[in-house]
Amino acid sequence: MKIHSVDVFIVDLPTVRPHQLAMHTIVTQTIVVARLKDDEGREGWSEVATIGGASYGESTPEAIKVNIDRYITPIVIGKEPVHFDKIMYEVSKHVRGNYFAKALIEAAIIDLAARAKEVPAYELFGGKIHSSLPVAWTLASGDTEKDIEEAKELLGQRRHNIFKLKIGKGDPNKNVEHVLKINSAVGNEARITVDVNQAWDEDTANYCIAALQDGGISMVEQPLPTWNHEGMARLTSRFRVPIMADEAANTVQDVFQIAKHRAGNSIALKVCKAGGLTQTKKVAAIAEGSGLGLYGGTMIESSLGTAICAQLYSTLPELKFGTELFGPLLFKDNLTLNNITYENFEIVIPDGPGFGMEVDKEKLKHYTRE
Ligand SMILES: [Mg+2]
């Protein structure tokens, strides 16, 4: 069984409400979908998401597609999917960086390999340890009363009891006040965390984190720009509230340096930024070996990409901060015939074959860019 063809689709999927980050507000999320076919007619599918073109990271959807079509596809054609580590090693020798493109192609190869064996993809990574994982929700209306109302409603539905607030945009003092009001309203029943998405300088981080820590906030994500490892290390030693690296924690090399210099005491995993599932497991091993807490992060993938991340995260022994795999709940529509299940504050890990999602080809066609 050999890989016969690779097709890459750029898809724009509308969200149910604007989703505000420091660098971009998502109203339509651009995702990239790959389809691999083998010479026996089987299909393997995968997805990575991007945020705001080039505003969140260096991998744009257009670059992901062109780099796969031009440079990666010729390397994978004719190869046996079950040898995905060997294939990706060969890709790494010819293609530098391009982690999102590598993650996309590797996941499609793994989906194909698992489907050929008629097993869930997590079985190729030692099997799942967890059948479900805690899942955070992001409160992002920007209005304190609305956010409190939404949090209470989701607590009542037993959908989420971890809430993240994106506070990189606007006046830091007002944002801190907003977070603390939400924490006093629902903090007894829920854990409140914040994500600054690199927006503060160290002075701002010092007074804002002091206030957040005193107010009982349970984690502060990427307060400083990715380059400021020394500043992150100072914040980590200064405060007892956990400081998480996200945009700074991509590859195994990045995470080793973060662990070595304690530039954060926890990291957010993302399959796309590490360059694939195998690499994400290696990143998790570095964190485990150095005592960094883990968080199962998202780039806000739809159901297919969420299933890929969820299956991989389910094979990790401990995710101290749970996951934020809420992506499918933010979209108006779905590219798969089945969907992800959320219950009892957790995401249920989809079972196979492959990553367990069946692509809705009509929907894919409808949302694919011309
Ligand atoms: Mg983040």
Side-chain angles (χ1 to χ4, degrees):
M1 198 236 328
K2 293 192 164 68
I3 297 166
H4 179 72
S5 66
V6 178
D7 294 290
V8 179
F9 310 91
I10 298 178
V11 179
D12 296 303
L13 208 54
T15 59
V16 292
R17 59 146 168 81
H19 193 75
Q20 188 179 291
L21 287 80
M23 64 284 276
H24 177 72
T25 300
I26 305 169
V27 288
T28 302
Q29 174 73 318
T30 303
I31 63 181
V32 192
V33 173
R35 177 185 62 200
L36 263 58
K37 286 186 183 170
D38 71 12
D39 50 11
E40 293 170 26
R42 278 187 214 92
E43 294 182 349
W45 290 86
S46 66
E47 174 202 333
V48 292
T50 58
I51 292 172
S55 60
Y56 183 95
E58 292 173 0
S59 283
T60 63
E62 297 80 11
I64 292 168
K65 177 169 167 53
V66 80
N67 286 327
I68 290 177
D69 289 347
R70 178 81 192 258
Y71 301 107
I72 298 180
T73 295
I75 302 170
V76 308
I77 295 289
K79 302 290 193 315
E80 288 187 41
V82 75
H83 298 155
F84 56 89
D85 268 0
K86 182 170 182 248
I87 299 170
M88 294 314 294
Y89 174 61
E90 280 182 41
V91 168
S92 77
K93 285 195 292 186
H94 297 282
V95 180
R96 287 183 191 272
N98 285 283
Y99 300 109
F100 283 53
K102 286 171 180 169
L104 182 65
I105 208 79
E106 188 212 38
I109 296 172
I110 291 169
D111 192 47
L112 193 51
R115 283 174 189 273
K117 290 180 177 293
E118 296 179 346
V119 297
Y122 55 64
E123 297 220 346
L124 305 180
F125 291 90
K128 65 178 173 184
I129 297 174
H130 310 284
S131 299
S132 63
L133 288 166
V135 60
W137 177 250
T138 299
L139 297 169
S141 77
D143 181 284
T144 309
E145 289 313 312
K146 264 191 198 161
D147 279 359
I148 291 171
E149 211 173 291
E150 190 175 315
K152 284 185 174 167
E153 198 179 315
L154 295 171
L155 280 162
Q157 294 170 9
R158 298 183 61 78
R159 210 181 81 180
H160 303 279
N161 57 3
I162 311 167
F163 298 108
K164 184 195 248 192
L165 291 148
K166 294 278 191 184
I167 58 167
K169 195 174 181 182
D171 179 349
N173 284 310
K174 281 193 183 140
N175 287 336
V176 167
E177 209 177 297
H178 169 70
V179 173
L180 295 180
K181 274 186 192 156
I182 292 170
N183 192 49
S184 12
V186 297
N188 285 339
E189 298 169 83
R191 222 162 69 203
I192 307 293
T193 70
V194 299
D195 190 355
V196 188
N197 288 118
Q198 314 181 52
W200 291 341
D201 59 24
E202 199 173 341
D203 292 338
T204 308
N206 273 326
Y207 70 80
C208 287
I209 296 175
L212 292 166
Q213 179 173 281
D214 289 347
I217 299 312
S218 63
M219 185 268 284
V220 177
E221 188 174 333
Q222 197 70 58
L224 303 181
T226 54
W227 57 265
N228 198 351
H229 284 304
E230 290 180 10
M232 285 286 280
R234 284 189 288 271
L235 297 178
T236 303
S237 66
R238 191 171 296 143
F239 295 107
R240 64 177 190 280
V241 61
I243 306 290
M244 181 175 288
D246 178 10
E247 289 94 319
N250 302 304
T251 62
V252 286
Q253 291 84 4
D254 291 340
V255 173
F256 178 76
Q257 291 302 321
I258 287 167
K260 187 177 173 185
H261 300 289
R262 232 55 197 164
N265 45 20
S266 54
I267 59 158
L269 298 170
K270 281 173 191 166
V271 171
C272 52
K273 63 183 187 169
L277 292 105
T278 294
Q279 294 300 317
T280 303
K281 279 214 87 159
K282 291 182 188 173
V283 164
I286 293 171
E288 186 183 341
S290 56
L292 296 176
L294 284 177
Y295 185 42
T298 184
M299 279 293 285
I300 311 182
E301 294 87 1
S302 75
S303 53
L304 176 60
T306 297
I308 292 166
C309 300
Q311 279 213 6
L312 195 276
Y313 298 160
S314 79
T315 70
L316 302 174
E318 198 188 342
L319 286 157
K320 182 176 176 181
F321 296 91
T323 78
E324 55 173 2
L325 293 177
F326 63 80
L329 299 166
L330 193 66
F331 290 105
K332 271 191 188 149
D333 207 352
N334 190 8
L335 295 180
T336 51
L337 295 165
N338 53 335
N339 210 344
I340 303 283
T341 302
Y342 294 89
E343 59 187 26
N344 280 327
F345 306 117
E346 303 210 323
I347 176 172
V348 177
I349 309 305
D351 290 312
F355 292 107
M357 305 311 288
E358 300 307 319
V359 171
D360 183 333
K361 291 178 182 171
E362 285 302 310
K363 289 273 180 67
L364 177 71
K365 198 174 162 196
H366 178 73
Y367 290 108
T368 296
R369 267 187 212 173
E370 288 304 312

